[in-house]
Amino acid sequence: MTVQQGRTAADDEAGATVPATGPTSESEPGADPEQGPEADLAPDLEPDLEPDLGSTAEPGVAIEAEPDPVLHPAEGRWPWLGPLVVSVVAAVAYTVFSLVQWSRYEVPSWDLGIFTQLARRYASLESPIVHIKGDGFNLLGDHFHPLLVVLGPVYKVFPSAVTLLVVQNLLFALSAYVVGRHAVRVVGWLEGTALTLAYAASFGIAGAVAAQFHEIAFAVPLLALSLVALVRERWWACALWAAPLVFVKEDLGLTVILIGVVLWWRSRDLRALWLSVWGAGWTVLSTAVLIPLLNSGDQWDYGSRIDVVGILTHPWTAFTLLFDDGRKISTVLMLVAITGFVGLRSPVLLVAVPTLVWRFWADNDAYYGHLWHYSAVLMPIAFVALLDGVVLSRRSPRAWLRRYAVAAVPVAVVIAALFTPQLALARLVEPEYYAGSGRETAAQAILAQIPDDAVVETDIGLMSYLVDRDDVFYVGNAGNPTPDYLLIDDWGGGWNTAIGDLVQFAQDRFPGTTWELVDTQGSFRLVHRVD
């Protein structure tokens, strides 16, 4: 007997043929229908005995679905192969980009230096004191990310800032596989593999790779695993993958709240709201108690970036602040566009709301655009919403919407492709990117003159290249201890203060000390304390 998944009375009245995407009775027998969170990690060769969303079949009953005539007959043997190949290629491409960027001495921010210093502390079983943020600064008093302790063992084996770049690249590639594997289930091998590629090259992921390591790298695969479990009606797996998000960064507790709400809406089980309670509880605990407790200023530094009082006293600004800048509008439009617009059909897209709101309410305009790492967590949300929207549209009583469901994925892939040339990863196809930046020789000459275990105060320019072996402080902070060396990059230091005589600057900054110029190479200047 053949049963078409998700076919409704409205579909029958319209005479529509709804392609079935569910499992077949030819799957291997004996699989456990109660899959744990690990089910989506491995190639999915077991029968999916849980019915698809909207199915009228009983759980635990294998269903024979009609084959989709547009798919290759052999796709059922290794349906995971396309997404897996794309994910592996993506991991390699990300890493090539990172290694070339590293070899060119291009450092977009201080984040890599900060998190490398953190990983070095964890690897030594020390508290997360990161001097780049300030003398004796506990990084858990900046953002709440205890999950990053897992970097310690990895860094212990591979003690290099490059290790963090590779870890991030692998996490992003893992999320691409999770989303792509589900895409094959929904739209078949060809379109599913194409969508995996679109995800891997999406603006949020590409921007995060170019921005180098950030803690949100761990959130991206967790979101992918949780949301795919959600739309596959694996309720417990959804909750278990979502729960650790609160330990990645404090604002992700708000995301967990929304996942709990959508989980309740889809499952109709009030117990799902406990996930929302979990997210809300950790958001309050981390921002009101734990971060201020560990912060040298007894506060959550980022709380002041949103004028909560102003929004409460002028409620209309809660809405107007979302659209008062062209970059905000562009970010939202790009997010909706990469879902092929059909993502608007899915409640999963609501999970993106907390991230967009805190970014757009903040007074930091770096949050508004689609670049950097800020949109990385939005990508699994958008692409799972796209796939869920396709499934929901197939069941629509509106014939035009059922027809558009067929075109939604190709539309999304084309839109993602149109965005790609403007992203940093597009440099991978430019021969001049591999030719060097002209900074290599000067940077290496300067670094060779700084011994291991020295105390170095510097700007962003070579910070990440020193943290593996030296105790590094950021020159833009007040209250740093007197260092052994002071290093300035006049071109790429990311510090706006123009310094004339560096020796005099050092003596003025640290009264009672004597300094001498060690070397000047290109834009780099190095002085050494001699007393």
Side-chain angles (χ1 to χ4, degrees):
M1 181 182 69
T2 300
V3 179
Q4 286 188 328
Q5 301 277 329
R7 190 170 178 87
T8 65
D11 294 327
D12 291 330
E13 291 173 5
T17 299
V18 183
T21 58
T24 71
S25 60
E26 296 174 352
S27 302
E28 292 185 38
D32 184 359
E34 296 298 324
Q35 300 290 336
E38 71 278 7
D40 279 315
L41 281 173
D44 194 351
L45 300 179
E46 80 282 9
D48 186 357
L49 300 185
E50 296 181 80
D52 287 344
L53 297 180
S55 172
T56 58
E58 293 295 326
V61 178
I63 303 171
E64 181 180 354
E66 285 189 359
D68 189 334
V70 305
L71 302 181
H72 193 281
E75 73 157 1
R77 292 183 61 84
W78 298 307
W80 44 267
L81 185 58
L84 180 62
V85 170
V86 171
S87 301
V88 171
V89 171
V92 172
Y94 299 156
T95 302
V96 168
F97 179 90
S98 297
L99 292 176
V100 175
Q101 183 188 48
W102 177 263
S103 69
R104 290 169 59 90
Y105 291 87
E106 295 179 351
V107 182
S109 78
W110 65 349
D111 284 336
L112 180 59
I114 288 172
F115 289 114
T116 302
Q117 207 167 58
L118 176 73
R120 186 181 178 189
R121 296 286 188 265
Y122 282 143
S124 301
L125 301 180
E126 299 175 0
S127 59
I129 302 301
V130 174
H131 289 151
I132 292 174
K133 291 287 291 185
D135 187 18
F137 190 92
N138 189 319
L139 201 61
L140 289 174
D142 184 51
H143 288 301
F144 187 68
H145 40 53
L147 191 62
L148 295 193
V149 71
V150 301
L151 291 174
V154 181
Y155 187 86
K156 185 72 173 179
V157 179
F158 305 102
S160 169
V162 175
T163 299
L164 273 66
L165 300 177
V166 174
V167 167
Q168 174 169 268
N169 295 339
L170 293 176
L171 290 169
F172 288 161
L174 171 61
S175 73
Y177 174 75
V178 173
V179 172
R181 180 66 189 90
H182 182 60
V184 170
R185 295 185 188 104
V186 174
V187 296
W189 183 87
L190 182 60
E191 289 188 14
T193 301
L195 195 68
T196 309
L197 181 59
Y199 174 93
S202 60
F203 65 86
I205 301 297
V209 171
Q212 299 187 334
F213 185 86
H214 197 271
E215 68 254 63
I216 54 86
F218 287 92
V220 175
L222 287 173
L223 279 166
L225 288 160
S226 177
L227 296 177
V228 167
L230 172 62
V231 298
R232 297 190 68 198
E233 296 189 347
R234 295 180 173 184
W235 312 131
W236 277 107
C238 169
L240 292 174
W241 285 119
L245 287 167
V246 300
F247 303 126
V248 176
K249 195 162 173 275
E250 65 276 4
D251 64 90
L252 287 169
L254 302 175
T255 301
V256 173
I257 293 174
L258 263 292
I259 294 176
V261 171
V262 177
L263 178 59
W264 162 72
W265 179 258
R266 296 294 281 263
S267 68
R268 303 301 181 179
D269 189 337
L270 283 174
R271 291 177 298 175
L273 294 178
W274 282 109
L275 182 61
S276 297
V277 173
W278 169 267
W282 276 104
T283 299
V284 174
L285 182 63
S286 60
T287 59
V289 179
L290 297 178
I291 292 178
L293 182 66
L294 298 170
N295 186 281
S296 56
D298 300 322
Q299 64 180 359
W300 178 38
D301 292 337
Y302 300 91
S304 61
R305 296 196 174 176
I306 297 177
D307 185 6
V308 177
V309 174
I311 292 173
L312 291 176
T313 55
H314 303 82
W316 60 87
T317 61
F319 179 78
T320 58
L321 283 173
L322 301 177
F323 304 101
D324 63 347
D325 188 289
R327 289 167 294 182
K328 299 178 181 179
I329 297 173
S330 175
T331 298
V332 173
L333 291 178
M334 290 178 69
L335 181 66
V336 172
I338 61 168
T339 73
F341 303 100
V342 78
L344 292 170
R345 290 269 300 167
S346 172
V348 171
L349 199 58
L350 293 174
V351 177
V353 170
T355 297
L356 292 173
V357 168
W358 74 252
R359 285 171 56 183
F360 293 173
W361 281 1
D363 60 4
N364 186 346
D365 60 3
Y367 298 160
Y368 302 162
H370 66 278
L371 301 175
W372 291 89
H373 57 266
Y374 300 111
S375 293
V377 296
L378 300 178
M379 297 301 99
I381 300 171
F383 279 81
V384 175
L386 156 62
L387 294 168
D388 191 43
V390 168
V391 173
L392 295 174
S393 296
R394 286 172 178 170
R395 301 170 183 161
S396 173
R398 301 174 182 85
W400 68 269
L401 195 53
R402 294 195 302 273
R403 288 193 295 269
Y404 183 70
V406 178
V409 169
V411 168
V413 170
V414 169
I415 290 174
L418 292 175
F419 291 153
T420 300
Q422 62 180 300
L423 304 176
L425 286 183
R427 299 173 71 188
L428 285 170
V429 299
E430 300 173 0
E432 57 269 24
Y433 184 54
Y434 304 90
S437 64
R439 288 165 53 85
E440 296 88 347
T441 302
Q444 291 163 10
I446 288 290
L447 290 171
Q449 299 178 75
I450 302 175
D452 292 353
D453 301 318
V455 178
V456 183
E457 185 175 82
T458 186
D459 52 22
I460 293 173
L462 293 177
M463 176 185 292
S464 300
Y465 299 82
L466 290 166
V467 289
D468 296 323
R469 58 186 178 91
D470 296 306
D471 193 6
V472 179
F473 291 79
Y474 177 53
V475 69
N477 292 331
N480 290 338
T482 304
D484 301 316
Y485 292 86
L486 178 59
L487 170 62
I488 294 296
D489 180 2
D490 292 319
W491 181 80
W495 193 44
N496 295 326
T497 303
I499 300 175
D501 186 337
L502 186 58
V503 170
Q504 187 62 50
F505 172 83
Q507 293 177 166
D508 292 342
R509 181 169 172 79
F510 303 102
T513 59
T514 303
W515 297 76
E516 66 178 6
L517 180 67
V518 176
D519 198 4
T520 297
Q521 293 281 344
S523 62
F524 304 107
R525 290 185 288 162
L526 178 67
V527 296
H528 175 229
R529 180 170 57 86
V530 296
D531 63 338

